[in-house]
Amino acid sequence: MKSMIIIGAGAAGMMCAIKASERYKVTIIEKNDRPGKKLYITGKGRCNVTNASDEETFLKNVIANPKFLYSAIYSYNQNSVISDFESWGVKLKTERGNRVFPQSDHSSDIIKALDGQLRKKGVDVRYRTTVKELITEPYVSDEPKSKYEHIVTGVKVYNGSKTENLYADVVVVATGGMSYAATGSTGDGFEFLRRYGAQISEVRPALVPLVTKEGYPKEMMGLSLKNVSVKVTALKKDYPHLKKDKVLYEDMGEMLFTHFGVSGPLCLSASSYISKFIYDKKNSDVKTSLQLEIDLKPALTEEELDRRVLRDFEEFHNRDFQNSLGKLLPRLMIPVVIEKSGIKPDKKVNSITAEERRALLDTLKHFKLTVTGLRGFDEAIISGGGISIKEINPQNMELKRVRNLRVAGEMIDCDALTGGFNLQIAWSTAFMAAD
């Protein structure tokens, strides 16, 4: 039986080992003292295993290089993942947005299931062991069209007391990206592959909160908004090379105000598009300044909202303006909206002019903030960028330059929106690498 060494006992590494164990004698090298350390905190500790949508919907939610994943997602799709985990004893449930979680809401159940399968399949997992380097040789072949430059034969490891060489027919690097470095995702795998000329797109935080210039979010810290729409735009005045204003992201859902800016599902998803834009070489030298516009009442047209405001004004016509918005807005937001509208808070409602009312409507439908950056890798759910898909054979995740060296999971330059899509990328690419 052939042998396989997998570097990393995260989501991709464990799934790859399980799927490969029928064809290979598998060894996992893991520098932590237990498996799935990052999985444990995924989905705020609940672990959003996958998304119960069809393949076409899945691919629409992949931001970077969805076409590369065609073979992977159609070979091992969301239904396959759900079926496997349920057969491994994990009861699952599907929530809003087709997000799939363990019924227990405990990510530990997912890790236990994977670990149980590793033991059942006889996978040798070496914890507290660090891979120092890959062992390779120049690739010699009679094939005139071969692009291979090297062939991998094993890894050099250190376990705290000694260094040794471990040899295998296939090596899979599944060390993750650079988000949540405390879990072990420190970019080691990129360094291994960079030595062999692999092209690596700049690794950047993705699915991460946004930093804003204004202090308003801090005043509303902890306030969560539902059913609002968000639009992020790169303005031509800030990015002169653009032919016109460029909308980077627009959607409806939930968001959260924080002491530094904004977060929540809408803003996390927006961050991946923002990250891709600001890390683009054409934009990377420009000081980040993006317009974030919130429609607080997207279900209403301005005319409908105006009628709603007039009804409230009629009911509270003898009150001060600051005491008339309780039915329209959350308490924490009222002082901020008043300030942005320019209407004096102690002005009587019955004396507010039509022009002032239009200013209020504009604030409610176009609440603007300036995004000046992203939070760092320590708060990023995933990292974007990674090994260029041009370097990888999508049929088995093998590097085109190094024979028998494969990659899986977050290391690949494919990232998606929130909702279980990124873990599905890990499961599917791991399945292909297990071939």
Side-chain angles (χ1 to χ4, degrees), residues 196-217:
Y196 298 96
Q199 180 183 338
I200 298 172
S201 304
E202 185 168 4
V203 183
R204 58 190 188 275
L207 298 182
V208 64
L210 311 179
V211 179
T212 61
K213 176 182 177 181
E214 297 82 2
Y216 296 126

Side-chain angles (χ1 to χ4, degrees), residues 420-432:
F421 301 104
N422 288 289
L423 262 182
Q424 182 63 48
I425 292 174
W427 309 133
S428 295
T429 55
F431 180 87
M432 300 304 280

Side-chain angles (χ1 to χ4, degrees), residues 220 223 225 257 296 329-338 367:
M220 300 180 285
L223 174 62
L225 299 179
F257 291 106
L296 297 169
L329 294 167
R331 178 182 55 82
L332 283 176
M333 198 163 208
I334 291 174
V336 176
V337 167
I338 289 174
F367 188 99

Side-chain angles (χ1 to χ4, degrees), residues 316-382:
F316 305 122
H317 66 281
N318 288 323
R319 292 189 182 183
D320 290 347
F321 177 51
Q322 62 190 349
N323 297 322
S324 69
L325 300 175
K327 287 187 173 183
L328 193 65
L329 294 167
R331 178 182 55 82
L332 283 176
M333 198 163 208
I334 291 174
V336 176
V337 167
I338 289 174
E339 184 178 343
K340 285 180 76 69
S341 74
I343 304 171
K344 292 182 179 180
D346 58 353
K347 186 168 187 174
K348 293 298 181 183
V349 169
N350 56 25
S351 64
I352 290 176
T353 66
E355 185 179 349
E356 287 174 322
R357 198 174 72 250
R358 282 194 294 273
L360 172 61
L361 294 173
D362 186 67
T363 301
L364 295 172
K365 296 292 286 184
H366 309 281
F367 188 99
K368 294 176 182 177
L369 294 167
T370 307
V371 176
T372 57
L374 307 173
R375 299 291 276 185
F377 282 112
D378 285 347
E379 294 180 50
I381 295 174
I382 61 163

Side-chain angles (χ1 to χ4, degrees), residues 29-319:
I29 308 299
E30 171 56 53
K31 63 183 177 182
N32 289 316
D33 59 358
R34 60 186 185 275
K37 201 167 181 181
K38 186 175 176 183
L39 259 180
Y40 189 75
I41 60 174
T42 299
K44 297 181 180 177
R46 297 175 64 213
C47 193
N48 188 177
V49 181
T50 186
N51 190 283
S53 57
D54 56 30
E55 293 89 345
E56 185 178 348
T57 301
F58 169 82
L59 292 167
K60 285 179 179 177
N61 281 273
V62 178
I63 297 171
N65 305 310
K67 291 182 180 179
F68 174 80
L69 294 169
Y70 279 4
S71 294
I73 192 62
Y74 281 101
S75 297
Y76 190 61
N77 64 15
Q78 300 94 307
N79 289 334
S80 301
V81 170
I82 292 169
S83 177
D84 271 345
F85 276 105
E86 288 186 335
S87 72
W88 298 338
V90 182
K91 292 182 179 180
L92 301 173
K93 60 181 178 180
T94 302
E95 297 186 356
R96 181 178 50 81
N98 287 320
R99 298 169 188 238
V100 180
F101 294 90
Q103 282 189 13
S104 65
D105 285 329
H106 294 148
S107 56
S108 56
D109 285 355
I110 299 299
I111 299 168
K112 286 175 186 175
L114 291 165
D115 190 38
Q117 288 301 304
L118 294 178
R119 297 172 189 275
K120 182 178 178 180
K121 303 285 187 180
V123 175
D124 178 19
V125 186
R126 303 194 181 191
Y127 295 111
R128 301 186 184 88
T129 303
T130 304
V131 173
K132 307 301 288 183
E133 61 180 319
L134 303 176
I135 302 171
T136 63
E137 298 174 0
Y139 184 73
V140 180
S141 173
D142 295 330
E143 303 170 19
K145 294 184 179 181
S146 174
K147 294 182 180 180
Y148 294 120
E149 297 172 2
H150 298 84
I151 181 169
V152 68
T153 57
V155 295
K156 179 175 288 188
V157 301
Y158 177 69
N159 65 5
S161 60
K162 65 176 181 177
T163 299
E164 63 177 317
N165 292 341
L166 303 177
Y167 295 95
D169 297 292
V170 176
V171 174
V172 180
V173 184
T175 52
M178 293 182 66
S179 58
Y180 296 121
T183 65
S185 297
T186 53
D188 301 353
F190 297 124
E191 292 307 312
F192 297 149
L193 303 179
R194 195 174 273 121
R195 295 172 196 170
Y196 298 96
Q199 180 183 338
I200 298 172
S201 304
E202 185 168 4
V203 183
R204 58 190 188 275
L207 298 182
V208 64
L210 311 179
V211 179
T212 61
K213 176 182 177 181
E214 297 82 2
Y216 296 126
K218 187 174 183 179
E219 296 176 38
M220 300 180 285
M221 184 172 61
L223 174 62
S224 178
L225 299 179
K226 296 182 179 180
N227 301 316
V228 297
S229 69
V230 161
K231 179 167 69 173
V232 180
T233 308
L235 303 177
K236 179 172 173 50
K237 70 179 182 64
D238 298 318
Y239 298 87
H241 64 280
L242 295 177
K243 293 182 180 179
K244 59 181 181 178
D245 294 350
K246 182 176 182 179
V247 176
L248 304 180
Y249 175 82
E250 189 170 12
D251 205 355
M252 184 173 172
E254 300 178 24
M255 63 170 292
L256 172 73
F257 291 106
T258 69
H259 67 285
F260 54 78
V262 289
S263 187
L266 270 180
C267 299
L268 294 178
S269 291
S271 73
S272 291
Y273 291 92
I274 293 170
S275 174
K276 195 173 180 182
F277 177 81
I278 64 177
Y279 278 85
D280 188 304
K281 289 181 181 178
K282 292 179 289 187
N283 309 311
S284 58
D285 293 333
V286 181
K287 186 177 180 180
T288 303
S289 181
L290 301 168
Q291 179 180 275
L292 179 117
E293 187 175 308
I294 308 166
D295 185 344
L296 297 169
K297 302 293 178 182
L300 301 176
T301 65
E302 288 210 17
E303 293 76 14
E304 290 169 337
L305 182 57
D306 191 23
R307 289 195 291 271
R308 163 70 195 278
V309 169
L310 282 170
R311 285 198 302 271
D312 286 358
F313 278 8
E314 187 176 341
E315 182 179 352
F316 305 122
H317 66 281
N318 288 323
R319 292 189 182 183

